Amino acid sequence: ALSRNNLQMNTIHHVVHGIQGRITGDKSLLVGCWGREGAAQFYAMAIMDRNFRTIGGSNYATERREQSKPILSYWTPKTNLLEFSESQWLDTLKLLEGGPRFGNQIYCNLEQEIGNLAYSSGALLYERLVGEFGHQKVIDWWFEIRSTSDWKVAFEKVFKLDINDWYKQSAIPYLMKEYQAWK
């Protein structure tokens, strides 16, 4: 059975998917894996934090810490994100973008442990995006997908930065710093 917090988190997560779908003009499945799941996790944690102050439940810091553990032990061998180099992070982020495109969907059937990072590390990527550019720019990015149908083209148009450059200059250093802070 799901706890009250898990039920709230799961419900809000899926409401965010619906909101993302509306903003993208029903093209949210083209945002890429970390772009979809990371958004749902990040905004669900933020909403849970607001609920924490009003009706009780989990807060952002607690959810973030729980979801961004640096050692993933679901399967063997264990993945230790503290040991990831910049190039390993870049390779991982490329995997988290998703696989081939089928119509209006990017395929996200990733190897399970790394695939889970679309949620946890994806939320940290959104935390970084919102921190750097603001919430409105994220919404502008989603809205731009209506006209481009390519999340990377939309990303570059809105943020004025190639996704790979953002990964290398901002996202990867941020992920490495945040996972190191977990110690």
Side-chain angles (χ1 to χ4, degrees), residues 146-158:
R146 287 175 174 241
S147 59
T148 64
S149 293
D150 184 324
W151 72 272
K152 292 178 185 180
V153 170
F155 186 97
E156 187 168 355
K157 187 172 181 181
V158 170

Side-chain angles (χ1 to χ4, degrees), residues 79-89 92 114 117 176:
T79 300
N80 185 346
L81 300 175
L82 298 172
E83 297 172 357
F84 269 33
S85 66
E86 290 178 10
S87 65
Q88 285 174 298
W89 267 116
T92 300
I114 293 300
L117 292 177
M176 292 176 83

